[in-house]
Structure formats: structure tokens, C-alpha cells
């Protein structure tokens, strides 16, 4: 329920955010793009220390703090009347937005037993897609008024959703409090402070080259979002004969398929070895998507439309498999004593995508035409393969070599599978 309510608020604001900044506040498109880019950098920089703080005070408590943070910052949007004010508020909001995914994943790992963790993440993502769609539909009512007051309602509606989320999260308790013997389930074990279990604090993951490579590869695979929201609309409008309505249809296909199947895809990434292979396969599927979208510029309207929809379907499949695999790889390769910090570093690749992704897709992929899409396909394949090799290297440093057995369920199976993939 918390994720559903929050995604409605997010969809409500995102659907009209550009118009809010340009028509409501009166900023130019250049000012908005510069502000969002600066905010994305701030989000990248802040996500790791905020993750480190979550390791100290607990991810659930940190998530409540971030919800309250966003209640304040989204509420402050109604006071924005200049570029400087916009820059300050959007940077503050983005820092909380970028830190939340890793902390939320750590919170799910703390609240749910191991067998339920990945399924819960998949369910949350499916529900969030439905919520985003509903929020976007609600936004159309406000946008039809074409006034500053209407735009302010979008921000206040989003702020209100975070109030509800904070209240709901505060009431959640682990579903695996204690076993029959009075001992806590694996996911509920208390984590020792980072300084008591190896030291290094938030700098530890930044010193692990293989983990940083893994984060970078994850960011490259996450370009599927940039392709969908930036690359595809530009490609359809400027380089194909397909009707512009295809852009909306593509987003609907992506949302519906994700909402209906994301939880199912988690079955293919239930163990670390499967998730490693899932990263490779997702790279291959995303490459096929790029190879389908590129040639559409040489076809007639209906043929191009059909090929583009095939490309979007493949993109959605690759996106869902990548998301499920990345959740498992990131969580399992993050040491328990500094899990949120490591997950924050793992997600830095996605934050970097937000900074350089649009430029990469627009300048190189769209700018080079069909050859650009071919290059993107190669990049996806390389990132998928490299992510598996980096994950294997990290696994070895974590003591997950051949024949390893641990206290959690299915660990023996995982170790055997990992041995076959090493």
C-alpha cells in the first residue's frame, strides 16, 4: 500500500513537472535542463553517505526520515519563483529521491525473509507502475486548468503521498520476528556497525574495483529507461514514418507488461548464480531491442510501427529481467554490516545514467542513426557479459567460492550453481 500511494503521488508530479517548471514558474527549457542535471549530480554524491547513515540508524528509520524530507521539499515547490530557488529545491529533493532505492531495498531485506525478499521487490515494482499510471491520469485533470495553482496542487499531492507513506512504513514490523527456538530469521539478524566488522565505513565499496565495475555495468544496462523515455520518442518523431501516437502506445505496453509480469521475472533470479546469468541475458535481450528499433527508420509507417512495438516489447522484457537480477546481485554481494552503503554504490551506475544517459542516447545513438542503435546493442551485450565477470570477482572476495555453504536456505544450491558458473 505504501509503494502504491507513493507512486500515485510520483506519477501525479512527474506527469506535469516540466510544465510546472516552464509555465508555472516561468523557467526556460535550458534552465530546467541545467537544474535537473545539477540535481542529478547532487543525488549521486549524496546517495552513498545517506546509505552509510542508514547502516547506522537502520534502513526503516532512514526511509521514514527521507519521506519526511520529501514532504518538506515537495511542499517548498509552491514557493519557487526563480531559477535559484528551483535549483535549491530540486537538488534537495533529488538527493532524497536518489538515496531511496538502495535504502528501500535494504529495508525490504530487513523486513522480509530471504525467500520473500525478491518476490516482494518484484511486487512493489509492479504496483508502482500501476500507481504511476493512475497518478499521471489524475495529473491530466490539474493540467487542464493551466494555472499556477493547478501546478502547485501536483507538488502538494506528491508531498501528501509521502506523509501517508511515512505513517504506513512506521507501522510495519518484520514478518519473521523469531523462529520457534526464539532466534531471529536470517534477514532479521542485527548488523554490527561497519567500524566493528572490517572498518572503512562508506569508503569500503569505493575501494573495491570489481564492485565499482559491477555498478558501472549495471548503469549501462539501466539505459533501457533512457531509451524508452528519451530515445524512442525522438526516434519516432524525427527518424521514422510511424505515427506519433506510437510513443504513448509504447509507454502503455511497457507499463502494462511490467505491472503484469515483474513479480514473475523474479523467479529467474532467485539465486545469485541465476541473477548473474540474468544480467547477461538481459543485456542480450536489450541488444535485440536496439537492433529492432534501429531499422525502423527505413520502413513505411505501419511496418516501422510494428517493428518499433516489437523493440519496445523486447526492451520491456530486458528491463524486467535486469531489474530482478540487479536486485539479487546487488543485495547478495553487499556485506550485511554495510549493506545499504554497498547498495548505494551499486546504484551509482543508475545515477550516472541519469546524468550522461540522455546525452549519450541523443548525441551518439540518435545522432548516428541506425549505426548508433547497432553500437548501443553492442554496448548492452558487453555490459551484460562484463557484469557477470565483475560479480564473480566480487563473489570470490565475499567468500562465496565453490562448495561454500551458509546458514541461509538454498545456500547449498546457490554454491553449487555458482561453482558451475565460475
Amino acid at each position: 500500500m505504501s509503494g502504491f500511494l507513493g507512486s500515485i503521488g510520483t506519477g501525479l508530479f512527474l506527469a506535469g513537472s516540466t510544465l510546472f517548471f516552464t509555465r508555472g514558474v516561468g523557467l526556460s527549457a535550458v534552465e530546467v535542463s541545467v537544474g535537473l542535471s545539477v540535481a542529478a549530480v547532487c543525488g549521486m554524491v549524496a546517495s552513498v553517505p545517506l546509505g552509510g547513515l542508514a547502516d547506522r540508524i537502520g534502513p526503516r528509520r532512514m526511509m521514514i526520515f527521507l519521506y519526511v524530507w520529501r514532504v518538506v521539499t515537495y511542499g517548498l515547490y509552491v514557493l519557487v519563483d526563480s531559477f535559484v530557488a528551483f535549483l535549491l529545491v530540486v537538488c534537495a529533493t533529488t538527493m532524497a529521491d536518489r538515496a531511496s532505492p538502495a535504502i528501500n531495498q535494504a529495508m525490504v531485506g530487513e523486513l522480509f525473509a530471504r525467500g520473500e525478499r525478491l518476490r516482494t521487490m518484484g511486487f512493489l515494482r509492479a504496483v508502482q507502475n500501476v500507481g504511476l499510471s493512475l497518478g499521471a491520469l489524475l495529473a491530466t485533470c490539474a493540467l487542464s486548468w493551466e494555472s499556477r495553482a493547478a501546478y502547485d496542487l501536483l507538488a502538494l499531492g506528491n508531498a501528501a503521498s509521502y506523509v501517508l507513506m511515512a505513517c504506513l512504513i512506521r507501522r510495519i514490523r518484520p514478518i519473521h520476528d523469531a523462529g520457534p527456538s526464539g532466534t531471529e530469521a536470517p534477514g532479521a539478524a542485527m548488523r554490527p556497525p561497519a567500524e566493528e566488522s572490517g572498518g572503512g565505513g562508506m569508503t569500503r565499496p569505493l575501494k573495491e574495483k570489481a564492485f565499482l565495475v559491477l555498478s558501472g555495468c549495471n548503469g549501462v544496462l539501466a539505459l533501457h529507461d533512457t531509451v524508452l523515455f528519451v530515445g524512442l520518442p525522438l526516434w519516432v518523431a524525427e527518424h521514422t514514418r510511424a505515427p506519433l501516437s506510437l510513443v504513448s502506445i509504447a509507454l502503455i505496453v511497457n507499463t502494462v507488461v511490467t505491472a503484469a509480469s515483474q513479480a514473475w521475472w523474479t523467479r529467474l533470479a532467485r539465486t545469485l548464480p541465476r541473477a548473474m546469468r540474468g544480467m547477461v541475458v538481459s543485456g542480450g535481450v536489450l541488444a535485440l531491442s536496439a537492433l529492432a528499433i534501429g531499422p525502423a527508420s527505413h520502413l513505411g509507417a505501419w511496418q516501422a510501427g510494428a517493428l518499433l512495438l516489437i523493440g519496445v516489447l523486447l526492451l520491456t522484457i530486458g528491463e524486467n529481467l535486469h531489474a530482478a537480477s540487479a536486485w539479487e546481485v546487488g543485495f547478495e554481494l553487499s556485506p550485511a554490516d554495510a549493506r545499504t552503503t554497498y547498495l548505494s554504490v551499486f546504484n551509482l551506475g543508475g545515477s550516472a545514467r541519469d546524468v550522461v544517459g540522455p546525452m549519450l542516447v541523443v548525441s551518439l545513438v540518435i545522432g548516428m542513426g541506425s549505426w548508433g542503435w547497432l553500437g548501443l546493442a553492442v554496448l548492452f551485450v558487453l555490459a551484460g557479459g562484463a557484469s557477470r565477470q565483475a560479480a564473480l570477482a566480487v563473489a570470490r572476495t565475499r567468500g562465496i567460492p565453490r562448495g561454500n555453504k551458509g546458514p541461509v536456505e538454498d545456500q547449498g544450491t546457490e554454491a553449487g550453481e555458482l561453482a558451475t558458473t565460475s
Side-chain angles (χ1 to χ4, degrees):
M1 177 61 73
S2 171
F4 179 66
L5 292 174
S7 60
I8 290 178
T10 301
L12 184 71
F13 183 73
L14 287 180
S17 60
T18 301
L19 293 178
F20 179 99
F21 300 141
T22 55
R23 297 190 182 184
V25 180
L27 302 176
S28 67
V30 173
E31 287 176 322
V32 172
S33 62
V34 169
L36 293 177
S37 296
V38 172
V41 174
C42 290
M44 267 185 74
V45 174
S47 61
V48 177
L50 289 175
L53 180 59
D55 280 323
R56 293 179 179 275
I57 69 174
R60 187 168 70 93
R61 190 176 299 173
M62 190 65 190
M63 279 303 298
I64 294 173
F65 171 72
L66 291 178
Y67 289 151
V68 174
W69 180 336
R70 283 181 283 191
V71 171
V72 174
T73 56
Y74 278 108
L76 287 174
Y77 270 116
V78 301
L79 302 179
V80 171
D81 58 1
S82 66
F83 173 71
V84 174
F86 160 70
L87 187 62
L88 292 174
V89 174
V90 77
C91 285
T93 303
T94 304
M95 285 191 287
D97 289 342
R98 292 295 182 268
S100 292
I103 298 172
N104 184 62
Q105 188 179 355
M107 182 182 68
V108 170
E110 184 179 80
L111 294 175
F112 293 88
R114 184 179 185 280
E116 296 295 323
R117 187 188 70 240
L118 194 60
R119 190 179 303 116
T120 300
M121 290 296 295
F123 177 76
L124 284 174
R125 190 165 189 263
V127 166
Q128 286 168 352
N129 270 271
V130 176
L132 286 171
S133 300
L134 290 177
L137 286 175
L138 290 174
T140 59
C141 300
L143 293 176
S144 63
W145 295 351
E146 276 289 329
S147 68
R148 175 61 193 259
Y151 295 130
D152 286 344
L153 283 177
L154 300 180
L156 292 176
N158 199 16
S161 73
Y162 285 113
V163 173
L164 297 174
M165 291 174 74
C167 293
L168 290 171
I169 290 294
R170 191 170 180 270
R171 298 175 58 185
I172 291 178
R173 293 292 181 269
I175 64 172
H176 49 49
D177 293 326
S181 63
T183 59
E184 288 185 315
M190 292 295 291
R191 298 184 304 277
E195 62 268 23
E196 296 178 8
S197 55
M202 69 180 182
T203 64
R204 286 170 56 193
L206 298 176
K207 295 177 181 178
E208 293 190 27
K209 293 182 180 179
F211 197 81
L212 293 176
V213 170
L214 180 60
S215 173
C217 292
N218 182 57
V220 173
L221 293 174
L223 279 171
H224 50 68
D225 275 356
T226 309
V227 170
L228 180 65
F229 293 110
V230 178
L232 187 70
L234 290 176
W235 188 245
V236 170
E238 299 178 7
H239 296 272
T240 76
R241 298 182 179 88
L244 286 177
S245 59
L246 187 75
V247 175
S248 298
I249 295 173
L251 293 177
I252 292 172
V253 168
N254 177 267
T255 302
V256 171
V257 172
T258 298
S261 67
Q262 180 65 82
W264 181 87
W265 287 104
T266 61
R267 299 181 183 182
L268 302 182
R270 284 182 299 182
T271 66
L272 179 57
R274 290 183 183 180
M276 289 180 185
R277 289 196 292 269
M279 298 282 275
V280 178
V281 175
S282 67
V285 176
L286 291 172
L288 290 176
S289 170
L291 293 176
I293 294 173
S297 61
H298 304 293
L299 302 175
W302 294 109
Q303 296 91 332
L307 194 58
L308 287 167
L309 286 178
I310 292 173
V312 169
L313 184 59
L314 289 169
L315 185 79
T316 304
I317 292 172
E319 170 194 343
N320 290 324
L321 180 56
H322 166 248
S325 301
W327 290 332
E328 182 72 4
V329 168
F331 192 93
E332 289 297 325
L333 294 182
S334 297
D337 65 293
R339 177 151 287 145
T340 316
T341 305
Y342 272 81
L343 286 172
S344 297
V345 172
F346 181 74
N347 287 337
L348 281 180
S351 298
R353 171 210 62 192
D354 294 336
V355 176
V356 303
M359 184 184 302
L360 174 68
V361 170
V362 172
S363 300
L364 298 181
V365 178
I366 303 297
M368 295 178 64
S370 297
W371 287 105
W373 290 100
L374 176 60
L376 182 62
V378 173
L379 186 61
F380 278 137
V381 171
L382 292 177
S387 67
R388 177 176 177 275
Q389 296 305 313
L392 287 170
V394 175
R396 285 192 287 270
T397 68
R398 299 285 185 270
I400 317 178
R402 303 164 190 264
N404 179 68
K405 294 183 179 180
V408 296
E409 65 266 35
D410 296 334
Q411 187 66 38
T413 303
E414 284 196 32
E417 288 190 55
L418 187 58
T420 62
T421 62
S422 298

